[in-house]
Amino acid sequence: MKAFSFLFDIPLKPLLLLFSEGSEHTATATLPAAFSDLLPHFLVEPEDEYIVKNKPVTLTCRSTPATQIYFKCNGEWVHQDDHLIERTIDPATALPVMQVTIDITRQQVEKIFGLDEYWCQCVAWSTTGTQKSQKAYIRIAYLRKNFEEEPQGKEVALDQEVLLRCHPPEGVPQAEVEWQRNEDVIDPASDPNFFITAVHNLVIRKARLADTGNYTCVAKNIVARRKSTSATVLVYVDGGWSEWSKWSACGADCSMWRSRECTQPSPGTGGKDCQGLDLQSLNCTNEQCPQTVSGAEDVALYVGMVAVALCLTLLLIVVVLVYRRKKEGLDADVADSSILTTGFQPMGIKPSKPENSHLLTIQPDLTTTTTSYQGTLRSRHDVTGKFSMTNGPLLEPLPNGSHALHNGKLNPDPADFVSRLSTQSYFKTLPRDVTNTSYGTFNFLGGRLTIPNTGISLLIPPEAIPRGKIYEIYLTVQRKEDLRLPLAGCQTLLSPVVSCGPPGVVLSRPVILSMDHCSDACLDNWAIRLKKQNYEGAWEDVLLMGEELVSEPYYCQLEAETCRLFSEQLGTFGLVGESLHMGAAKRLRLVLFSDAYCSTLEYNIRVYCMDDTQDVFKEVMQMEQQLGGRLIDEPHILLFKDSYHNLRLSIHDMPQAHWRSKLLAGYQEIPFYHIWNGSQRYLHCTFTLERLSLSTCELTCQLCVWQVEGEGQSFSLDFNIAKDARAVDSEFLLLDSNATALAGPSAFQIPYLIRQKICSSLDAPCPNGADWRMLAQRLKLERHMSFFASKASPTSVILDLWEAQHFHSGNINQLATVMADIGKQEAMIFLVSDGEC
């Protein structure tokens, strides 16, 4: 029975090799009787190895007792000719020991391409049974050249904490990181003022003057050693005042003084000088002043003062006399003074009003002239140079002369808005596409801007605009051909580029910008950065998703298909992603169009492969409607992975008796990078089909779209090409009937007064947790607790986010239920009807 079991335990290929050898191998395969009932066990098992450059690695297995040992790599047996076998006897146990080694080359590992890794393991046999060793993974070692994030230079004050960031290049094995200051390695064990975090950032706990220098991040593994660019850290010292000196003795001028010096510390390395006075003086009291006897000097002083007073009096008398003499001469000629004014006044002159008589010293005698005048006396400042502000749809005069801001829908002329703002410097870079721009006028009550059918909106919460201010705010989506983001390496644009402004307006609290994204929403797969365009037009990183700092003016919440950006500044934004490994994927929306009506033998089917965002889909729908296209199937979603594989498209199962494809190859292919970088907005392939007869109107086929070695989607098409079906296109373009701009309470589901009561109830910490923290948990927003806690009113920010998420689909009764679960009486207010509110 043992022999029978042994035959079944050994795979066919090793068994044939075992018994096809000569008598020498057959003899060595037999164990002594004393050890025939022992299972083999491994003394040495293969371990993970890295192939450096082109040098092969050696794997070793050692087992006792064993009749045969074979290697299996990636599920296939390694031929016996590639094994190096050694047989010995263990002197301690007298058991036979068998050792087998093989060499693995770089070419063998490179043949296995994809997500699976190359692995090998040993299988040892004895007459009793088999044993398998652990799997050893063989990887090709490498270290890329470019750092994913390099340290940036800083100027810091003395004793300030310094953080230098470093993200080493991708490598296998993972690179180790060390820091250098002026080419000397930093050892945190010997200098506790330095600390290296788990993600390789360097922290200087308290900056010292000696810490000034050039800092370099060094990444190394078994393949190579890379250095980042050096970052200069300059530690400066602002000057500080010493203690005031003692007051001096009272001097002859009856004053005393004291001084201080800017020496504690002295300003250094570009630090600021001390601000303020270094010398103070003080009048002495009568008792402290030195006593002197009045003499001839005091008498001379008094005589001089009297003489000056007499001179000033005589001068004033002379001026008055001259003025009166000139006035008498002017009165004699006043009858003809009106002639002088005719050259300057286009209209006649009326006598001035009594209350303004002080403006005209001389009243002209109009009875002495034969010329009549009509009109009013114009002031020296030209009134025609001023302009009056007309009352727009939001501003209407009140009885007391003030203005009221009306709440509700704003429907001004978009073209007029664009033409007015085209002269403004902040609007010159914006497109003139009024269909993708919305604007409105808002005050402290806030409001909302929406671009229909794009998934883009801007929520302006109450109190975001300071009281007393009125802002005219716009929201627009940029076309990629108008504004391109610089993308490097494997970076890709994940969202539309959205502008809101005008930039530079003062906000009291953050607004919420909502826009679609096309990532798989897994932060483990991505490094997603928020980019903002500065005033010079350059793009800069302002936020790394997942590592937001509550002290920064930006914060993001990434949902399955939407990004919510809290921003205290308006501007132009976009999301850029960089895949961390080949598991990262973008969502593509696959959409099929064809000619609405076909009267020729040729028939075209266009397959669009676009980012899965509503703004791109809207553009394609509008373009196809202009071309007269028809949507022939519902859109499908495809996850496009960062595997460097292209996208292939093919058409199958056409009735050969009626149709044929004019495509020469079996499929069409879109290069990987054309899709991944996201810069080509209307990426598509066209299949040109030819029907063999004009009477053929039915088309049935299968259209497949797939990524090489990845996921795919298929469309089963069956329709009549002669039927004009353009009307069905509107089913897939969900028209947003809501107003593009809403101001005041109509923009929010929660009434303003109720909102204030909820905030006052939940903002205060509650011992049993029935406060804003429980509200965040019930709304599944606990990941943002630290961000909410950093705000003056955490509840208000949570309600802002709820409003941004649920404006179209929110159920206010559900929010009332959450409030009731928390145990707050304010929940009952929600159940009151709008009329009762």
Side-chain angles (χ1 to χ4, degrees), residues 138-167:
I138 297 90
R139 303 175 178 89
I140 298 176
Y142 67 92
L143 184 63
R144 302 201 186 280
K145 293 184 179 180
N146 297 327
F147 281 73
E148 297 187 11
E149 184 176 11
E150 295 187 290
Q152 303 294 324
K154 296 183 178 181
E155 294 184 3
V156 297
L158 190 68
D159 294 332
Q160 181 181 340
E161 183 180 272
V162 184
L163 174 63
L164 297 178
R165 298 183 180 274
C166 176
H167 197 169

Coordinates of all heavy atoms in Angstrom, one line a residue, residues 138-167:
I138 N 10.8 36.1 -6.5 CA 12.0 36.7 -7.1 C 11.6 37.9 -7.9 O 10.7 37.9 -8.7 CB 12.7 35.7 -8.1 CG1 13.2 34.4 -7.3 CG2 13.9 36.3 -8.8 CD1 12.2 33.3 -7.2
R139 N 12.1 39.0 -7.5 CA 11.8 40.3 -8.1 C 13.0 41.0 -8.7 O 14.1 40.8 -8.2 CB 11.2 41.2 -7.0 CG 9.9 40.6 -6.3 CD 9.5 41.5 -5.2 NE 8.3 41.1 -4.5 CZ 8.3 40.2 -3.4 NH1 9.5 39.9 -2.9 NH2 7.2 39.8 -2.9
I140 N 12.7 41.7 -9.7 CA 13.8 42.5 -10.4 C 14.0 43.8 -9.6 O 13.0 44.6 -9.5 CB 13.5 42.7 -11.9 CG1 13.4 41.4 -12.6 CG2 14.6 43.6 -12.5 CD1 13.0 41.6 -14.1
A141 N 15.1 44.0 -9.1 CA 15.4 45.2 -8.2 C 15.6 46.4 -9.1 O 16.3 46.3 -10.2 CB 16.6 44.9 -7.3
Y142 N 15.1 47.5 -8.7 CA 15.3 48.8 -9.4 C 15.0 50.0 -8.4 O 14.5 49.8 -7.4 CB 14.4 48.9 -10.6 CG 12.9 49.0 -10.3 CD1 12.3 50.3 -10.1 CD2 12.1 47.9 -10.1 CE1 11.0 50.4 -9.8 CE2 10.8 48.0 -9.7 CZ 10.2 49.3 -9.6 OH 8.9 49.4 -9.3
L143 N 15.5 51.1 -8.8 CA 15.2 52.3 -8.1 C 15.1 53.5 -9.1 O 16.1 53.8 -9.8 CB 16.3 52.6 -7.1 CG 16.1 53.9 -6.2 CD1 14.9 53.7 -5.4 CD2 17.3 54.1 -5.3
R144 N 13.9 54.1 -9.2 CA 13.8 55.1 -10.2 C 14.6 56.4 -9.8 O 15.0 56.5 -8.7 CB 12.3 55.5 -10.4 CG 11.4 54.2 -10.8 CD 10.1 54.7 -11.4 NE 9.3 53.5 -11.6 CZ 9.4 52.7 -12.7 NH1 10.3 52.9 -13.6 NH2 8.5 51.7 -12.8
K145 N 14.7 57.3 -10.8 CA 15.6 58.4 -10.6 C 14.9 59.6 -9.9 O 15.5 60.3 -9.1 CB 16.2 58.9 -12.0 CG 17.1 57.9 -12.6 CD 17.7 58.4 -13.9 CE 18.7 57.5 -14.5 NZ 19.3 58.0 -15.8
N146 N 13.7 59.8 -10.3 CA 13.0 61.0 -9.8 C 12.3 60.8 -8.5 O 11.5 59.8 -8.3 CB 12.0 61.5 -10.9 CG 12.7 61.9 -12.2 OD1 13.8 62.4 -12.1 ND2 12.0 61.7 -13.3
F147 N 12.5 61.7 -7.5 CA 11.8 61.7 -6.3 C 10.3 62.1 -6.5 O 10.1 63.0 -7.3 CB 12.4 62.6 -5.3 CG 13.7 62.1 -4.6 CD1 14.8 62.0 -5.3 CD2 13.6 61.7 -3.3 CE1 16.0 61.5 -4.7 CE2 14.7 61.2 -2.7 CZ 15.9 61.1 -3.4
E148 N 9.4 61.4 -5.8 CA 8.0 61.8 -5.9 C 7.7 63.1 -5.2 O 6.8 63.9 -5.6 CB 7.1 60.7 -5.4 CG 7.3 59.4 -6.2 CD 6.3 58.4 -5.7 OE1 5.3 58.7 -4.9 OE2 6.4 57.2 -6.1
E149 N 8.5 63.5 -4.2 CA 8.4 64.7 -3.5 C 9.8 65.1 -2.9 O 10.4 64.2 -2.2 CB 7.3 64.7 -2.4 CG 7.1 66.1 -1.8 CD 6.0 66.1 -0.8 OE1 5.5 65.0 -0.4 OE2 5.6 67.2 -0.3
E150 N 10.3 66.3 -3.2 CA 11.6 66.7 -2.8 C 11.5 67.8 -1.7 O 10.5 68.5 -1.7 CB 12.4 67.2 -3.9 CG 12.7 66.1 -4.9 CD 13.7 66.6 -6.0 OE1 13.3 67.4 -6.8 OE2 14.9 66.1 -6.0
P151 N 12.4 67.9 -0.8 CA 12.4 68.9 0.2 C 12.5 70.3 -0.4 O 13.1 70.5 -1.4 CB 13.6 68.6 1.1 CG 14.5 67.8 0.3 CD 13.6 67.0 -0.7
Q152 N 11.8 71.2 0.3 CA 11.8 72.6 -0.2 C 12.5 73.5 0.9 O 12.3 73.3 2.1 CB 10.3 73.1 -0.4 CG 9.5 72.3 -1.4 CD 10.1 72.4 -2.8 OE1 10.5 73.5 -3.2 NE2 10.0 71.3 -3.5
G153 N 13.2 74.5 0.4 CA 13.9 75.4 1.3 C 13.0 76.3 2.1 O 11.9 76.6 1.7
K154 N 13.4 76.6 3.3 CA 12.6 77.4 4.2 C 13.4 78.4 5.0 O 14.6 78.2 5.2 CB 11.8 76.5 5.2 CG 10.9 75.6 4.6 CD 10.1 74.8 5.6 CE 9.1 73.9 4.9 NZ 8.3 73.1 5.9
E155 N 12.8 79.5 5.4 CA 13.4 80.5 6.3 C 12.6 80.5 7.6 O 11.3 80.7 7.5 CB 13.4 81.9 5.7 CG 14.4 82.0 4.5 CD 14.4 83.5 4.0 OE1 13.8 84.3 4.7 OE2 15.1 83.7 3.0
V156 N 13.2 80.1 8.7 CA 12.4 79.9 9.9 C 13.0 80.7 11.0 O 14.3 81.0 11.0 CB 12.4 78.4 10.3 CG1 11.6 77.6 9.3 CG2 13.8 77.9 10.5
A157 N 12.2 81.1 12.0 CA 12.7 81.8 13.2 C 13.4 80.8 14.1 O 13.1 79.6 14.1 CB 11.6 82.6 13.8
L158 N 14.2 81.4 15.0 CA 14.8 80.6 16.0 C 13.8 79.9 16.9 O 12.8 80.5 17.3 CB 15.7 81.5 16.9 CG 16.7 80.9 17.9 CD1 17.8 80.1 17.1 CD2 17.3 81.9 18.8
D159 N 14.1 78.7 17.2 CA 13.2 77.8 18.1 C 11.9 77.4 17.4 O 11.1 76.8 18.1 CB 12.9 78.5 19.4 CG 14.1 78.7 20.3 OD1 15.1 77.9 20.1 OD2 14.2 79.7 21.1
Q160 N 11.8 77.7 16.1 CA 10.5 77.2 15.4 C 10.7 75.8 14.9 O 11.8 75.4 14.6 CB 10.3 78.2 14.3 CG 9.0 77.8 13.5 CD 8.8 78.8 12.3 OE1 9.3 79.9 12.3 NE2 8.0 78.4 11.3
E161 N 9.6 75.1 14.8 CA 9.7 73.7 14.3 C 9.7 73.7 12.8 O 9.1 74.6 12.2 CB 8.4 72.9 14.8 CG 8.5 71.4 14.3 CD 7.2 70.7 14.7 OE1 7.3 70.1 15.8 OE2 6.3 70.6 14.0
V162 N 10.5 72.8 12.2 CA 10.7 72.8 10.8 C 10.4 71.4 10.3 O 10.8 70.4 10.9 CB 12.2 73.1 10.4 CG1 12.4 73.2 8.9 CG2 12.6 74.4 11.0
L163 N 9.6 71.3 9.2 CA 9.2 70.1 8.6 C 9.7 70.1 7.1 O 9.3 70.9 6.3 CB 7.7 69.9 8.6 CG 7.2 68.6 7.8 CD1 7.7 67.4 8.5 CD2 5.7 68.6 7.8
L164 N 10.6 69.1 6.8 CA 11.1 69.0 5.4 C 10.5 67.6 4.9 O 10.8 66.6 5.5 CB 12.6 68.9 5.4 CG 13.3 70.2 5.9 CD1 14.8 70.0 5.8 CD2 12.9 71.4 5.0
R165 N 9.8 67.7 3.8 CA 9.1 66.5 3.3 C 10.0 65.8 2.2 O 10.8 66.5 1.5 CB 7.8 66.9 2.6 CG 6.8 67.5 3.6 CD 5.5 67.8 2.8 NE 4.5 68.4 3.8 CZ 3.7 67.6 4.5 NH1 3.7 66.3 4.5 NH2 2.8 68.2 5.3
C166 N 9.9 64.5 2.2 CA 10.6 63.7 1.2 C 9.8 62.4 0.9 O 9.5 61.7 1.8 CB 12.0 63.3 1.7 SG 12.9 62.3 0.6
H167 N 9.5 62.2 -0.4 CA 8.9 61.0 -0.8 C 9.9 60.3 -1.8 O 10.0 60.8 -2.9 CB 7.5 61.3 -1.5 CG 6.7 60.1 -1.6 ND1 5.4 60.1 -2.0 CD2 6.9 58.7 -1.4 CE1 4.9 58.9 -2.0 NE2 5.8 58.1 -1.6

